[in-house]
Amino acid sequence: MTAVAQTQRETGLTGNSAIAYAMMQINPDVCPAYPITPSTSVIEEFSSYVADGKVETELIPTESEHSAMSAGVGASAAGARVMTATSAQGLALMWEMLYIASGMRLPIILTDVNRALSAPINIHCDHSDTMGARDSGWLQLYSETVQEAYDNLIMAVRIAEDKRVQLPIMVCLDGFITSHAIENISLLSTEAVQGFVGEYTPDSALLNVENPATFGAMTLPYAYMPLKKQQSDAMTASKPVVEEIAAEFALLSGRNYGLLEEYKLDDAEVAIVVLNSSAGTVKDAVDTLRAQGKKVGALKPRLYRPFPHAEIAKALSGKKAVCVLDRADSMNGFGGPLFTDIRSALYSDANRPQIIDRIYGLGGADFRVNDALGVFDELFKVQETGQVDELIKYLTV
Amino acid sequence: MVKNKDFTMLDAKDLPLGGVLPDAGSAEEYETGGWRKLRPIFDPEKCIDCLTCWVMCPDSAIYVEDDKIAGYDLDHCKGCGICAEVCPDKVQAITMVEEEN
Amino acid sequence: MATLKELAKKEELFTGGHRLCAGCGIPPIVRLILRSTDSNIVATTATGCLEVASSVYPYTAWKVPWVHSAFENAAATITGAEGAYKALKRKKRLPGSDQERDIKFIAFGGDGGTYDIGFQALSGALERGHNFLYVCYDNGAYMNTGVQRSSATPLGSNTTTSPAGEVILGKQQWRKDLTKIVAAHNIPYVGQASPHNWRDLSKKSEKALAINGPTFLNVISACPLGWYAKPEDSIALCKLATETCYWPLYEIEEGVLKVNYKPKDKRPIMEWIKPQGRFKHLFKADGGMEIIEEFQRRLDEEWERLLELDGKRV
Ligand code: SF4
Ligand code: SF4
């Protein structure tokens, strides 16, 4: 039996249970939280771990998500490792504090169980919540499966707290689809998780009363701008850290994660780019078409912030036609956020493909293998004609 | 500590992350005495060292040593006149006068 | 209770060199409260005059660990820091060497950050029972942004969002009674104080900081800018606020209310209003006197009610 296998246990868990379990294994110092569908059971289950004495975490059941993230900022500045979870309106209510957490360089770890934003009110999955926070200065990791969500969360702790990064991080998984469906998952032992994440030791902390420091000072332009540059540089610098920590995690778990996952992409002529659980659907469609001898593939970014623009451009360079599937609309009249980012990343590539955007699955709308096959049909047409008829379109409506 | 008296752009590589200021009480290095239009003149002969002026001063600008008023920190005193106001009526050890320049 | 001589021996934890206005009422409150415990202090401040003026990068007037995060969340922020303290103490991982150290947590907020935008976070933090003191410095308007009305602004006051116009004479509404609302959370200690009476304020903050659980102090703070008053009168105006019973000094300890000061010669509100330019339109415009009379009537009622509660479980 290998060392890797000894540290692992196979079981069936929902995404939310796996997240709560990882949080229990990590045993964060402070968990400020507020319930919201579909992330609620993360906090419920974690509250039970607290109540049962399985963790030494201080649970702060705040009266709103804004206060949850505010308490998170206070706790993190105080020197604590802080973890929380939310969804949709909850993340939106945190919006102000997301920027503050990042600007203050506080490595808070948040799980967002993706859900549509109101209005109209809808509790089902899409990515409009975390896409709305894509430029808040948080790193974002997306997760296709329960396993990936669990693994991402454990890696997230190390990434956020790395001295080269020191930025907050969001782990995203699809509401109800991943959060509530039971999948087989391989859990690490708690000792292995704790050994991997280590202890949080910030350079300065409010609770370090021997060195009283001021956090969150008022800045004028001469300080604001250089501090913003520092933050931006850290965001850029975090990309190799994500890779490094994934490599370390692979040694522990036997599971390999890149910034992106390329699925049969190498020799593909047309490809779909997609985040989170729908990647599974797209992979099925790829398999179906591959069986027919069609050169198709898929690309699933795992890291979305910082945006791995060079890696994505490299992966898509030379393809004939690409469709970006967006589970959110930017409402800017120019498609979804993933589309504009990817199109921009490809701009300076001499062999850039034709590229289209298809918005799908809003508010939990189904996206089936047939829908993915339909997208590939569109791509074949683009490949054939070299023409894009419709740049941006809603699917299934 | 990072100093900036002339409002020039600071260098990102000098600044502690996240805008943290590690030097507690560094505002003491920032002079607000120039705001003053009136200056407190203190008469130690009259003073009964009740320390009321000390506790009411908004700018922590009155020194106390060995239970006695030991002088004024004119680098920080903004000349508000509160000290003169709160000095007991029968003492009136502080008078506010026009600042010269 | 400490004497001024004893207090003066303690370290100054809020230094000069901050940019609050000359004659600002806030610093004497902060200076005194920071001297009211021998324990270490960690403080936070809601966005507002105190926050902006005390931390202009790279200068800080704070000699205690201090954090600012936003406007509406001082109470939530401090409970996070307090939660971190509990967790790290339990885990024996407090930064620094002394794992047994005692830390008091204090949140400061103005009336805007407390009565209005920070009210929800305050209520939540009080209900959760964290161990912290919340201090509201109430100067009766959003002074930092240029004197806009808040729910603490007194009746008839001229502010930039309740201006004294041709038809409407300043603020039309009676102020929110935040001290009582906070008391309704049934926390162990609530006090209302004024910096002119340093003895009373110091006693109250000592008490509050010695208690295990959430405590609250509402402290009147004069603002020469927003009150259109002379800077040297800041302390005297706070005194007059108590003499007119606009700002009664009282406390509610374990549910029992005690009026700490009953003026022998209760002064008419006119004496407090008169020296403040924010009320001057009331003396010129038709209907102004009626507003002052209404002010007096409601104050008298409130004072009577408070006296009835004196010594009682509320
Ligand atoms: S004039 Fe004002 S600032 Fe100067 S010492 Fe007196 S009280 Fe302090
Ligand atoms: S208030 Fe007057 S008498 Fe009291 S210490 Fe100050 S100067 Fe002296």
Side-chain angles (χ1 to χ4, degrees), chain A residues 66-203:
Chain A
H66 191 283
S67 281
M69 190 45 68
S70 300
V73 164
S76 186
R81 177 178 284 158
V82 176
M83 297 183 85
T84 186
T86 195
S87 293
Q89 308 310 120
L91 190 68
L93 190 54
M94 286 181 184
W95 198 82
E96 179 193 30
M97 300 315 298
L98 294 178
Y99 282 75
I100 290 171
S102 175
M104 290 175 75
R105 308 295 300 277
L106 302 172
I108 297 169
I109 302 123
L110 177 143
T111 299
D112 186 273
V113 181
N114 287 108
R115 165 185 154 183
L117 278 180
S118 296
I121 188 167
N122 173 295
I123 59 166
H124 297 285
C125 177
D126 71 33
H127 301 158
S128 44
D129 54 357
T130 51
M131 284 298 157
R134 68 188 182 276
D135 295 332
S136 60
W138 285 57
L139 280 80
Q140 289 190 337
L141 292 173
Y142 284 78
S143 326
E144 179 184 340
T145 60
V146 172
Q147 183 75 63
E148 201 171 325
Y150 172 82
D151 291 346
N152 275 345
L153 191 66
I154 293 165
M155 286 185 272
V157 177
R158 283 282 305 280
I159 297 165
E161 293 172 5
D162 190 283
K163 295 286 180 214
R164 293 162 289 178
V165 180
Q166 292 199 53
L167 287 167
I169 189 164
M170 238 172 248
V171 171
C172 313
L173 61 148
D174 282 349
F176 293 112
I177 302 162
T178 315
S179 67
H180 285 62
I182 295 177
E183 290 176 16
N184 284 333
I185 164 173
S186 168
L187 298 170
L188 295 168
S189 72
T190 298
E191 298 74 61
V193 170
Q194 291 194 349
F196 185 78
V197 297
E199 271 183 11
Y200 177 48
T201 49
D203 290 339

Side-chain angles (χ1 to χ4, degrees), chain A residues 27-29 56 58 61-64 66 70-71 74-75 96-97 100 199 206-207 212-218 222-223, chain C residues 55-57 60 63 65-69 72-73 76-77 79-80 83-88 90-91 93 101 120-121 128:
Chain A
N27 186 14
D29 302 316
E56 298 164 287
E58 191 65 22
T62 54
E63 80 299 331
S64 73
H66 191 283
S70 300
E96 179 193 30
M97 300 315 298
I100 290 171
E199 271 183 11
L206 283 173
L207 296 178
T214 283
F215 294 72
M218 155 84 190
Y222 56 78
Chain C
S55 72
V56 185
Y57 198 95
T60 174
K63 288 188 120 175
W66 179 87
V67 59
H68 160 256
S69 73
E72 68 280 57
N73 65 353
T77 305
T79 62
Y85 170 65
K86 281 188 193 148
L88 295 179
R90 194 154 59 221
K91 293 180 171 185
R93 273 187 36 234
R101 88 184 70 124
Q120 173 181 320
R128 291 193 300 275

